[in-house]
Amino acid sequence: MTNTIATTDEGEEFVKDITKMSVDFDRWYTDVVRKAELADYTPVRGSMVILPYGYALWENIQRAFDDMIKSSGHENWYCPLLIPEELLTKEEEHVQGFTPQVAWITEAAGGKLELRLAIRPTSETIIGALIRRYIQSHRDLPKLTNQWCNVVRWEMRTRLFLRTTEFLWQEGHTFHASADEAKQEVDLILGYYRDLAQDWLAMPVLAGMKSRSETFPGAVHTKSIEALMRDGLALQAGTSHYFGQNFSSAYDISFSNQRNQRELCYSTSWGISTRLIGGVIMAHGDDAGLILPPRIAPIQVAVVPIFRDAASRDLVEAFIETWRWAVEGERIRLRVDWSDDRPGEKFNRWELKGVPLRLEVGPRDVEARQVSLVDRLTRERRPVPAAGLAGRLRDELSSFQRDLYQRALDFRDQNTVEVSTLEELVAHFKERAGVVWAPWCESEECEARVSEATGGVHTRNFDPDAEAEGSCLVCGRPAKRRVAFARAY
Ligand SMILES: [Zn+2]
């Protein structure tokens, strides 16, 4: 995490080869992001450009999640980027949590501003101030809102997609008449995040409750999904917060209940960001580059025509045209690579970009009425008849999606252990990374001791409904939680 986003000079340096993952994971990551043309550095320190291939990936993630929340009655809207200081500072715990990262506008139109404006680090405060106009009675509840937008959190150390000063995300903000309903909302969204990660991104996650010290500033409780990357570090990939009445009392968000009495709302907020793209890269990639889950891959099948002269090119092209429409008709995202590069270069390019399936089509394939199919996971070449190709590709993509998830799950299983003492935990993290489960008394002191003893290993989350057995790994008092520890991004 010591990599900083370079200035223009360094940014223009061309990445020739990808550093091997086993040699230097951080460099491998940056090389893949840039060479696969997902994102790049810009002259703006700490800010990245998301390139079309990376943005297409984001759009597919966005669409999947947007469909989920729409199906349960959430509505998108858009609130201002700038937040007046007086609004930002109303909820004390919240403002303290964010102040170090807030960027301020102090001058505009050639003069100093009387009241400075914050660039939103998140929108609870402006939304709190706005939503009260639209909530009068219990009949206006629940209010289920979401916005897709950018936010700014000043970062000293940045990494493409994982930590940048400006990033894209969605922030849901909901308001309810009862605490139970708001807590159910938090769980509903946590379930969507888990499904998005597992069913779409093929990324197994631990879904659970964060410890008190890891709770979002101003929240009563925070739940998260946590994924394991191939370097053994965890990535917090989505969070869902229950605020109780904290924000409603700071911003006076109230409604008249059935007995005509004023009551404060219960609220939630939740978010996922372009950080998920970093998660996909690090959960699945290998030395050859990206491996993308078919359901979100901008291109699912790359076709590489192989020909020697104009005549064989025509032959191959005519053959591809006999099945291309049928494949696209199955809503399979297909790209035929007619560029001037040599076939070997094309193979490398589509492997680097993580396209799940590659079809090689040469004159001999045309003769045999077949294509040569290579999948990005096994990289084995096998002949597939052109007849019924569309259906076959559909099936291949589904099994690719399943296999990729299973591979990530196996990796997590192989990198998960259970310990009962601090000594065991420290010894583990001296040698390895991964997920370590341990019994814990739930005190912040014991959590801090683990962090000190390991140089930064923190709790990730725990199942709030599970019974804990044994005694706390640090203090030996009866354990209240079985919690996951990991080093994290
Ligand atoms: Zn303890």
Side-chain angles (χ1 to χ4, degrees):
M1 287 199 285
T2 49
N3 285 14
T4 51
I5 283 187
T7 53
T8 346
D9 296 351
E10 207 177 323
E12 278 162 6
E13 160 201 319
F14 183 68
V15 189
K16 287 190 188 67
D17 293 301
I18 302 173
T19 308
K20 275 197 168 17
M21 189 189 255
S22 54
V23 172
D24 185 338
F25 194 88
D26 287 358
R27 285 207 60 164
W28 166 84
Y29 174 80
T30 305
D31 288 354
V32 168
V33 170
R34 299 182 65 204
K35 275 215 93 174
E37 295 175 304
L38 293 174
D40 209 346
Y41 304 124
T42 67
V44 190
R45 197 173 175 80
S47 297
M48 63 176 172
V49 51
I50 303 176
L51 296 165
Y53 193 59
Y55 201 79
L57 195 55
W58 177 237
E59 284 178 314
N60 290 340
I61 295 172
Q62 204 176 21
R63 198 167 301 128
F65 183 69
D66 206 58
D67 286 347
M68 291 182 197
I69 56 172
K70 296 264 175 71
S71 75
S72 46
H74 297 77
E75 292 179 309
N76 287 335
W77 67 335
Y78 188 81
C79 296
L81 167 72
L82 304 180
I83 305 176
E85 182 166 17
E86 53 186 339
L87 277 186
L88 193 78
T89 51
K90 270 190 180 170
E91 213 290 339
E92 207 175 325
E93 207 181 298
H94 181 74
V95 72
Q96 278 173 6
F98 276 102
T99 296
Q101 286 185 299
V102 173
W104 293 97
I105 298 184
T106 55
E107 279 176 47
K112 270 216 175 317
L113 293 179
E114 264 176 50
L115 294 167
R116 43 179 205 162
L117 296 164
I119 302 174
R120 66 179 161 217
T122 175
S123 302
E124 278 75 9
T125 58
I126 182 78
I127 285 176
L130 289 170
I131 201 79
R132 51 195 299 270
R133 292 185 203 164
Y134 309 105
I135 299 173
Q136 313 297 335
S137 88
H138 61 93
R139 284 182 296 273
D140 300 322
L141 296 174
K143 270 270 180 287
L144 308 174
T145 76
N146 178 67
Q147 71 170 342
W148 292 96
C149 65
N150 59 343
V151 287
V152 166
R153 296 179 187 175
W154 217 255
E155 294 285 355
M156 303 313 285
R157 288 174 167 185
T158 54
R159 282 192 82 188
L160 295 167
F161 288 119
L162 297 175
R163 180 167 281 123
T164 48
T165 290
E166 179 184 0
F167 59 88
L168 302 183
W169 77 344
Q170 61 67 219
E171 48 179 316
H173 298 271
T174 68
F175 301 86
H176 305 263
S178 77
D180 275 352
E181 196 187 290
K183 287 178 191 168
Q184 277 167 23
E185 167 78 10
V186 166
D187 291 345
L188 174 77
I189 298 298
L190 189 74
Y192 286 164
Y193 286 162
R194 186 195 53 221
D195 294 349
L196 179 72
Q198 301 195 154
D199 301 345
W200 291 78
L201 314 189
M203 196 167 74
V205 289
L206 302 173
M209 180 90 85
K210 298 296 274 186
S211 71
R212 188 63 231 155
S213 70
E214 302 272 322
T215 297
F216 184 79
V220 174
H221 70 238
T222 290
K223 292 185 174 179
S224 73
I225 54 166
E226 308 275 339
L228 190 64
M229 306 292 100
R230 295 194 80 77
D231 60 351
L233 267 63
L235 182 80
Q236 179 175 292
T239 48
S240 186
H241 316 290
Y242 170 62
F243 292 134
Q245 295 175 314
N246 291 353
F247 278 92
S248 295
S249 67
Y251 294 88
D252 190 25
I253 310 163
S254 61
F255 66 102
S256 57
N257 64 20
Q258 314 231 10
R259 282 157 292 147
N260 226 10
Q261 297 156 326
R262 289 312 280 182
E263 222 184 295
L264 289 172
C265 289
Y266 296 82
S267 67
T268 80
S269 81
W270 25 274
I272 47 169
S273 71
T274 36
R275 178 170 236 234
L276 278 178
I277 295 174
V280 168
I281 299 164
M282 294 193 294
H284 300 309
D286 65 13
D287 284 342
L290 289 173
I291 300 180
L292 293 182
R295 292 188 82 180
I296 56 159
I299 300 168
Q300 295 169 314
V301 180
V303 181
V304 178
I306 297 163
F307 51 86
R308 228 170 283 145
D309 46 31
S312 58
R313 184 194 150 117
D314 288 349
L315 187 75
V316 166
E317 185 170 10
F319 176 62
I320 291 172
E321 288 308 308
T322 63
W323 44 259
R324 186 167 66 88
W325 296 108
V327 171
E328 287 175 347
E330 279 281 308
R331 304 177 72 90
I332 292 170
R333 297 186 284 272
L334 176 122
R335 172 80 61 88
V336 186
D337 186 350
W338 288 110
S339 69
D340 289 334
D341 301 323
R342 283 177 286 110
E345 290 171 335
K346 295 182 186 182
F347 299 165
N348 289 345
R349 168 159 61 242
W350 299 114
E351 289 202 346
L352 168 66
K353 284 179 171 283
V355 173
L357 303 179
R358 177 172 85 231
L359 304 180
E360 301 169 12
V361 188
R364 254 182 249 159
D365 296 303
V366 176
E367 215 165 285
R369 313 302 291 172
Q370 66 172 38
V371 298
S372 298
L373 182 147
V374 183
D375 74 85
R376 179 64 181 81
L377 262 181
T378 68
R379 296 162 94 183
E380 282 163 12
R381 185 174 280 105
R382 47 194 194 277
V384 170
L389 184 62
R392 175 68 186 270
L393 292 176
R394 216 356 93 238
D395 295 345
E396 290 279 346
L397 289 168
S398 323
S399 53
F400 189 102
Q401 180 84 30
R402 262 197 318 277
D403 293 349
L404 191 62
Y405 177 77
Q406 191 58 46
R407 174 175 172 264
L409 190 62
D410 291 345
F411 177 81
R412 191 183 72 187
D413 288 348
Q414 287 151 15
N415 289 282
T416 299
V417 297
E418 190 109 28
V419 304
S420 50
T421 67
L422 181 59
E423 290 69 35
E424 284 170 11
L425 183 137
V426 169
H428 174 91
F429 282 110
K430 258 194 193 131
E431 301 292 325
R432 303 175 54 190
V435 180
V436 174
W437 289 95
W440 172 48
C441 69
E442 218 179 343
S443 82
E444 286 189 35
E445 293 73 33
C446 291
E447 195 182 13
R449 276 289 306 285
V450 171
S451 175
E452 277 163 35
T454 50
V457 171
H458 286 282
T459 59
R460 300 321 305 162
N461 63 24
F462 57 83
D463 177 354
D465 302 319
E467 296 270 320
E469 285 169 15
S471 44
C472 174
L473 81 161
V474 179
C475 68
R477 285 178 292 180
K480 286 194 189 136
R481 304 295 181 189
R482 178 175 172 268
V483 69
F485 289 92
R487 272 189 215 289
Y489 279 93

